[in-house]
């Protein structure tokens, strides 16, 4: 879903840092070989994630929902020396393409893959996070949030992706549409939670930035 005209999107992209070669290659391979390539982070949102990460200078990043590794590689660009990015995906068929591109990048040794259900894996990660990127099963967003909020460093940032859900958050709600219902509750919860300060950015499909107080 495009919220902006093609002309504006093209103009915004051309006024933004170029997409690194390795990410262009990963996008091409994802479209050729993997189902549902629509899920991949694109050029513009990828540069937003990269820049946010460089501003935060994270030691530890957690990503929930790796897919083919595009957003992980963007977030890893901001890691401090010796920092780590932990990324979780339930689909084990994706792990070889992820590893291939992680190892082609400069961050291979800093990226740790976890295969399984995020809600089972998060409690086993004994560390504090500077950035968490929530981008797996939309119906589980409130549970991911509860699982990570007490693992955040003060001043850390939780990023939640696809929170506009192709605009469904403002369309009449279909009672059978559980994902939209939960995303509506989730967005409200982020706004009202006194532990964080939240801004929903209209980046691509909606990217919420929540600063942990
Ligand atoms: N962050 C990626 C896109 C993620 S797409 C990018 O921007 O390129 C969502 C991913 O979440 C899919 O790969 C899917 O396999 C994974 N996923 C779905 N349910 C999950 C769960 N319960 N635990 C971990 N990963 C899950
Ligand atoms: Ca996403």
């Amino acid at each position: 879903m495009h919220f902006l005209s093609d002309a504006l999107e093209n103009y915004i992209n051309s006024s933004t840092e170029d997409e690194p070669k390795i990410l262009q290659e990963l996008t091409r391979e994802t479209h050729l070989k993997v189902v549902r390539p629509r899920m991949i982070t694109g050029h513009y949102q990828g540069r937003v994630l990269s820049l946010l990460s460089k501003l935060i200078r994270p030691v530890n990043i957690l990503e929930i929902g790796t897919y083919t590794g595009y957003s992980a590689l963007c977030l890893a660009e901001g890691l401090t020396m010796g920092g780590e990015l932990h990324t979780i995906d339930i689909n084990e068929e994706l792990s070889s393409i992820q590893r291939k591109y992680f190892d082609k990048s400069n961050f291979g040794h800093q990226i740790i893959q976890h295969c399984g259900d995020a809600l089972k894996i998060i409690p086993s990660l004994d560390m504090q996070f500077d950035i968490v990127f929530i981008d797996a099963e939309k119906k589980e967003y409130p549970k991911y949030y509860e699982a990570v909020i007490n693992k955040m460093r003060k001043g850390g940032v939780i990023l939640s992706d696809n929170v506009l859900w192709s605009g469904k958050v403002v369309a009449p709600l279909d009672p059978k549409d559980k994902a939209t219902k939960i995303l509506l509750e989730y967005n409200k919860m982020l706004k009202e939670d006194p532990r964080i300060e939240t801004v929903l950015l209209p980046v691509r499909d909606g990217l919420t930035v929540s600063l942990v107080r």
Side-chain angles (χ1 to χ4, degrees), residues 38-41 45 133-136 138 141 161-162 204-205:
R38 218 169 46 89
M39 299 206 290
I40 197 170
T41 289
Q45 183 177 11
F133 181 52
I134 300 181
D135 195 21
K138 307 307 154 193
Y141 271 29
D161 196 29
N162 305 99
R204 196 165 168 251
D205 194 24

Side-chain angles (χ1 to χ4, degrees), residues 2-207:
H2 295 265
F3 297 122
L4 299 169
S5 68
D6 287 350
L8 265 177
E9 270 199 8
N10 289 338
Y11 181 74
I12 290 167
N13 289 346
S14 67
S15 308
T16 293
E17 199 72 18
D18 290 336
E19 185 179 40
K21 278 251 144 37
I22 181 174
L23 295 176
Q24 295 177 16
E25 226 181 286
L26 170 57
T27 300
R28 224 174 298 124
E29 188 164 344
T30 300
H31 278 86
L32 285 173
K33 296 191 184 155
V34 184
V35 291
R36 297 204 285 161
R38 218 169 46 89
M39 299 206 290
I40 197 170
T41 289
H43 163 210
Y44 175 68
Q45 183 177 11
R47 289 308 87 205
V48 172
L49 293 176
S50 160
L51 193 71
L52 285 172
S53 185
K54 286 169 183 160
L55 292 171
I56 297 166
R57 307 287 302 134
V59 178
N60 287 318
I61 302 176
L62 172 64
E63 175 178 69
I64 308 174
T66 322
Y67 189 52
T68 53
Y70 191 110
S71 48
L73 286 170
C74 297
L75 291 166
E77 290 177 33
L79 278 174
T80 45
M81 263 231 289
E84 288 180 349
L85 182 146
H86 291 260
T87 183
I88 310 174
D89 206 288
I90 201 164
N91 183 353
E92 61 189 68
E93 288 174 17
L94 296 169
S95 67
S96 61
I97 181 167
Q98 293 162 5
R99 194 74 251 166
K100 174 173 162 191
Y101 281 88
F102 294 162
D103 286 342
K104 264 191 196 205
S105 78
N106 296 326
F107 313 106
H109 59 294
Q110 289 174 286
I111 302 180
I112 297 126
Q113 295 160 284
H114 300 268
C115 191
D117 182 356
L119 290 171
K120 298 226 169 73
I121 290 169
I122 296 166
S124 73
L125 299 173
D126 186 21
M127 62 195 80
Q128 274 208 315
F129 295 106
D130 306 287
I131 299 179
V132 172
F133 181 52
I134 300 181
D135 195 21
E137 172 55 53
K138 307 307 154 193
K139 295 198 275 290
E140 310 274 31
Y141 271 29
K143 290 186 185 149
Y144 298 146
Y145 177 78
E146 287 308 330
V148 299
I149 184 70
N150 292 323
K151 292 179 179 284
M152 297 302 298
R153 174 178 65 76
K154 198 172 146 54
V157 168
I158 299 174
L159 301 169
S160 308
D161 196 29
N162 305 99
V163 291
L164 295 176
W165 209 220
S166 305
K168 287 190 204 137
V169 289
V170 291
L173 180 65
D174 171 353
K176 291 187 298 269
D177 181 355
K178 238 183 129 194
T180 303
K181 181 170 173 282
I182 290 176
L183 279 174
L184 283 165
E185 290 165 7
Y186 181 69
N187 290 338
K188 183 163 182 282
M189 183 198 59
L190 291 182
K191 164 82 194 280
E192 290 173 356
D193 191 330
R195 293 173 291 184
I196 54 175
E197 190 175 322
T198 284
V199 177
L200 194 164
L201 301 179
V203 169
R204 196 165 168 251
D205 194 24
L207 176 70

